Amino acid sequence: MDNVTVLGLSAAALTIVAFFPQLLKVWRTRSTRDISLEMFLIFCVAVFLWFIYGVLTNDVPVIVANFLVFIQASIILALKAKYK
């Protein structure tokens, strides 16, 4: 594995980890009052498009990061709708 791939996978790991505390907080508190619905909608679309880009360019770090962040952001978005 080359240095560029290691850098990309490191960035992917940090991106994935960054959303996990928010997901846990929403899950535990069942509160999404301070989360912007519009921001998460736009973010989910953007992350999904980055995922598609990664697939089309065969860029593993982009695929992994954006797939897992899309899942986390989608769960937060679903909880936002549920706890509204």
Side-chain angles (χ1 to χ4, degrees):
M1 194 175 318
D2 65 358
N3 290 339
V4 174
T5 302
V6 170
L7 177 67
L9 289 172
S10 298
L14 291 174
T15 303
I16 294 161
V17 170
F19 270 83
F20 196 68
Q22 184 68 59
L23 178 57
L24 280 179
K25 184 175 182 179
V26 168
W27 187 270
R28 286 181 183 153
T29 65
R30 294 180 173 21
S31 174
T32 59
R33 191 181 78 198
D34 295 330
I35 294 176
S36 168
L37 176 63
E38 294 81 7
M39 179 272 193
F40 263 87
L41 282 171
I42 293 167
F43 184 76
C44 283
V45 171
V47 169
F48 183 74
L49 292 175
W50 273 114
F51 168 73
I52 298 299
Y53 171 82
V55 169
L56 293 174
T57 60
N58 198 32
D59 190 332
V60 173
V62 172
I63 293 168
V64 170
N66 288 289
F67 176 74
L68 294 176
V69 170
F70 177 74
I71 297 300
Q72 290 180 73
S74 295
I75 292 169
I76 292 169
L77 191 60
L79 292 173
K80 173 75 174 169
K82 181 178 180 178
Y83 299 138
K84 194 170 186 179

